[in-house]
């Protein structure tokens, strides 16, 4: 007689820990806490869709600098004069792109594939070849509306990372009360190694492939690490190319330049939102930001605007760490001067390193700078358990997505360091993206003051609900009602934020039911 069949799935004997499983730990804890309906848990545990595709592009010829040692072999190589300096594009990694007519009309002396430029350096000519890049778009959940989430251009991306970031967008859009779901994607590329025209070609090709997967009512990308309004403009152009009614489709991406349908206040919205939350954290204690000290990791879009706005409210910036190094000034860093340094066109890496108004310190020492607030605004996983043990701040406001590991979370809790979790702290970006989307749909244009007033109200209102959940303080005020979300006991802020998100998402499944 045949053995009885067992159709149950055998659990993996050693479930592999990944970035995604780590990121989902808090989801499972919140799901357990509120007794999330099992089928809703299954729906949210994995993304709706995971797209992986490839993008090819033809690169330009480039000049690769030789090491001082290798230059010696070309001691008598004459200088090649460059008639059109605009034809050379210097990249952050030291290479130079040769554009169309760079050397046209010049006396070009090439020896064994090398030439010397007027700067004295000897460069190897690398012919522009075609290159293939791996691209992703993860669409996590759309129970509350179209997928929404950024496009990241970075060397260290993976399906696992985009799954975590897409899920985080599902939680964040629910917390910010915008009618979207979660998505995220991008390209495995270090954009600093490519020229403007190359990035344009890569972006257009990326959108060419992405186009069948997204739409203004299906999935709406936005900028993230390594992308910006210029990239969004290219994506929009490619999506709308040849369409009859182009204006109708402007809402295909958000984070656009205001002159082409972007929203006032969007560029700085994430940094602004981080500061609204920090302001509210102190207002709750009857304090203001005046005289408070802070440090920032990452001085890109989120970190630099957060720092500028904190500075305008009277807080003092003591240290900044970015990809290239760390700067420190115990008397306070002059923020407008630092912004000018980073935005200087000669500062190809857009780094804080080399800023004259501060001293250089090691990254490991950055974490130990005593300051009231730490704003991580770089990448995920930076604050590990070990680092959390050393921190000398009283509050972490997460500008970045997932900067704190689950182990670090436990240490912070033990050490009594307060936390404003990413899914509320950095929700300003997606909130104003929503305002941009509405303005596009309605053909309207709102002032920055209108945008900021709405943003401030939305973030503070939802942050207060999260604080009430955390303290188990159900109440209704003029601004917010936390009664439907409190769970009868106190929980830490990250869990409280996730509870708010899950209750809002679950309502859709419970009230609407499941399509069969
Ligand atoms: P960005 O590319 O403008 O800036 C990133 C910054 O981080 C740069 O200063 C870079 O030097 C620094 N950095 C990169 N790797 C680093 C490392 N290993 N160590 C230290 N610093 C490092 O990116 P952004 O848009 O400001 O995004 C920063 C973070 O905020 C990301 O986690 C992103 O997902 C999150 N975020 C961004 C937005 C947005 O609207 N831009 C919205 C929500 C969340």
């Amino acid at each position: 007689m045949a053995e009885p069949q067992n159709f149950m799935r055998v659990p993996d004997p050693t479930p592999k820990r990944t970035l995604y499983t780590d990121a989902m730990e808090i989801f499972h804890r919140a799901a357990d806490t509120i007794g999330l309906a099992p089928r809703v848990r299954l729906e949210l545990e994995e993304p709706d869709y995971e797209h992986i595709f490839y993008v090819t592009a033809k690169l330009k010829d480039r000049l690769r600098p030789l090491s001082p040692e290798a230059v010696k072999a070309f001691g008598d190589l004459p200088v090649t004069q460059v008639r059109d300096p605009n034809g050379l594009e210097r990249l952050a990694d030291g290479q130079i792109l040769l554009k169309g007519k760079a050397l046209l009309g010049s006396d070009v002396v090439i020896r064994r594939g090398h030439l010397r430029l007027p700067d004295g350096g000897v460069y190897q000519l690398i012919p522009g070849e075609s290159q293939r890049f791996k691209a992703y778009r993860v669409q996590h959940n759309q129970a509350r509306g179209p997928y929404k989430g950024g496009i990241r251009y970075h060397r260290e991306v993976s399906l696992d990372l985009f799954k975590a970031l897409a899920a985080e967008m599902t939680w964040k859009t629910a917390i910010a009360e915008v009618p979207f779901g979660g998505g995220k994607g991008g390209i495995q590329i270090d954009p600093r190694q490519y020229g403007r025209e190359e990035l344009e070609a890569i972006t257009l090709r990326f959108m060419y492939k992405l186009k069948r997967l997204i739409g203004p009512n299906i999935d709406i990308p936005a900028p993230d690490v390594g992308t910006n309004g210029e990239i969004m403009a290219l994506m929009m152009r490619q999506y709308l190319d040849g369409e009859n009614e182009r204006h109708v489709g402007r809402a295909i991406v958000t984070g656009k330049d205001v002159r082409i349908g972007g929203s006032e206040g969007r560029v700085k919205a994430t940094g602004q939102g981080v500061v609204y939350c920090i302001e509210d954290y102190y207002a709750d204690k009857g304090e203001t930001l005046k005289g408070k000290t802070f440090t920032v990791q990452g001085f890109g879009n989120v970190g630099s605007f957060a720092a500028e706005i904190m500075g305008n409210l009277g807080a003092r910036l003591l240290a900044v760490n970015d990809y290239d190094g760390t700067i420190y000034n115990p008397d306070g860093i002059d923020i407008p001067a630092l912004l000018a340094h980073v935005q200087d066109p000669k500062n190809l890496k857009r780094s804080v390193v080399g800023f004259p108004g501060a001293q250089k310190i090691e990254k490991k020492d950055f974490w130990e700078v005593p300051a009231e607030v730490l704003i991580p605004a770089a990448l995920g996983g930076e604050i590990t358990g070990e680092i959390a043990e050393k921190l000398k701040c009283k509050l972490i406001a997460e500008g970045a997505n997932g900067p704190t590991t689950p182990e670090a979370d436990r240490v912070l809790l033990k050490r009594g360091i307060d936390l404003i979790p990413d899914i509320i702290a950095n929700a300003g970006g997606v909130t104003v993206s929503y305002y941009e989307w509405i303005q596009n749909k309605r053909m309207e244009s709102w002032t920055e003051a209108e945008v900021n007033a709405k943003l401030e109200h939305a973030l503070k209102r939802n942050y207060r609900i999260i604080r009430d959940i955390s303290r188990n303080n159900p109440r209704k005020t003029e601004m917010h009602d936390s009664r439907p979300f409190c769970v009868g006991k106190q929980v830490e802020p990250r869990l409280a934020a996730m509870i708010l998100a899950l209750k809002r998402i679950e309502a859709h499944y419970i009230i609407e039911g499941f399509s069969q």
Side-chain angles (χ1 to χ4, degrees), residues 98-119:
L98 274 178
K99 295 199 285 192
K101 300 182 178 118
L103 301 177
L104 209 68
S106 308
D107 297 327
V108 182
V109 188
I110 297 179
R111 188 176 301 160
R112 281 184 280 124
H114 293 75
L115 57 77
R116 185 187 297 279
L117 289 183
D119 66 5

Side-chain angles (χ1 to χ4, degrees), residues 273-291:
V274 173
V275 182
Y276 281 142
C277 290
I278 300 173
E279 215 182 7
D280 207 54
Y281 167 90
Y282 282 113
D284 182 55
K285 296 176 182 291
E287 298 174 28
T288 68
L289 275 172
K290 199 161 177 50

Side-chain angles (χ1 to χ4, degrees), residues 133-134 152-157 187-192 194 199 202:
F133 303 89
K134 195 166 185 176
R152 182 173 290 199
Y153 285 2
H154 198 266
R155 207 166 23 190
E156 282 144 43
V157 297
I187 310 180
Q188 190 174 47
I189 182 176
D190 180 353
R192 304 198 306 182
Y194 298 87
L199 283 173
I202 293 163

Side-chain angles (χ1 to χ4, degrees), residues 280-355:
D280 207 54
Y281 167 90
Y282 282 113
D284 182 55
K285 296 176 182 291
E287 298 174 28
T288 68
L289 275 172
K290 199 161 177 50
K292 297 279 186 298
T293 53
F294 70 108
T295 59
V296 178
Q297 187 195 30
F299 208 70
N301 174 282
V302 180
S304 67
F305 280 114
E308 185 180 25
I309 300 163
M310 290 283 284
N312 291 342
L313 294 172
R316 259 186 325 129
L317 175 63
L318 302 189
V320 184
N321 164 253
D322 71 12
Y323 183 79
D324 301 286
T326 309
I327 58 166
Y328 171 59
N329 184 342
D331 299 326
I333 291 170
D334 179 341
I335 300 170
L338 180 61
L339 287 167
H341 170 78
V342 170
Q343 286 155 11
D344 184 337
K346 290 200 276 308
N347 184 348
L348 289 176
K349 292 186 171 174
R350 299 272 174 273
S351 173
V352 298
V353 171
F355 176 61

